[in-house]
Amino acid sequence: MPWIYAIVGLLVGIVAGIVIARLTTPQYKTQKSLQKDLDSAKFEIEQHRQELADHFAQAAEMLDTLGKDYTKLYQHMAKTSSELLPNLPEQDNPFVKKIAQHKENEAAGNADESFEQPPKDYALGATGLLKTEEKAIIHSSEVVNAKAS
């Protein structure tokens, strides 16, 4: 029984010694202050990242608005140049190309665009039901065997 008391006393003494040593050493205090500085630096970096992401989102929105405004201005200038100067030769009018594109866009906007593009549910294109050409059919077992080889 006295051996048990000696072993327990030794373990308690070791634990108490480790705790006292950690609390009284200057390295522990510097390590703790460095950890606190590291945590605050990480927090500041995360704040800067968030501010930067917000800044870029706002800048992208502003640039989009600016681009749309410039497009409107250019279209207005193209339209009014042809209306105000109808006798101006085409080579002297800097907006001739834009006027032609604008008229084509208006004509295309009036047409039904649903027939120009296939529905978005096609994974690899049309199935070929309405065409004479046939699509190759790939079975899942062929793909698995090809990857295993």
Side-chain angles (χ1 to χ4, degrees):
M1 189 79 152
W3 294 101
I4 294 176
Y5 292 129
I7 292 174
V8 169
L10 181 65
L11 291 176
V12 169
I14 289 173
V15 169
I18 291 173
V19 169
I20 292 172
R22 287 204 56 136
L23 294 177
T24 58
T25 57
Q27 292 175 350
Y28 179 73
K29 292 177 184 176
T30 57
Q31 179 184 3
K32 202 169 191 178
S33 67
L34 285 175
Q35 184 66 34
K36 187 185 291 184
D37 291 342
L38 177 65
D39 292 339
S40 66
K42 284 181 180 179
F43 181 72
E44 287 178 14
I45 286 174
E46 192 59 38
Q47 279 185 329
H48 287 296
R49 282 185 182 157
Q50 186 61 40
E51 289 174 5
L52 192 60
D54 293 343
H55 169 73
F56 282 132
Q58 185 180 11
E61 186 177 312
M62 293 169 80
L63 283 172
D64 186 45
T65 304
L66 182 66
K68 288 177 182 177
D69 289 344
Y70 274 124
T71 303
K72 280 186 197 176
L73 176 65
Y74 195 85
Q75 289 174 351
H76 172 72
M77 293 296 292
K79 182 180 175 186
T80 55
S81 70
S82 63
E83 290 175 0
L84 296 176
L85 300 171
N87 298 330
L88 186 67
E90 287 188 13
Q91 67 269 15
D92 293 339
N93 190 349
F95 300 105
V96 169
K97 292 179 184 175
K98 191 63 176 181
I99 292 170
Q101 288 177 355
H102 183 66
K103 288 180 182 177
E104 289 174 6
N105 288 343
E106 285 180 355
N110 294 336
D112 188 16
E113 295 179 4
S114 63
F115 295 110
E116 293 177 14
Q117 296 179 354
K120 294 183 179 181
D121 62 343
Y122 284 115
L124 298 173
T127 59
L129 292 175
L130 302 176
K131 297 180 182 179
T132 57
E133 59 190 52
E134 292 185 20
K135 286 257 187 189
I137 298 174
I138 300 175
H139 298 287
S140 60
S141 59
E142 294 174 1
V143 174
V144 172
N145 291 337
K147 286 184 179 180
S149 298

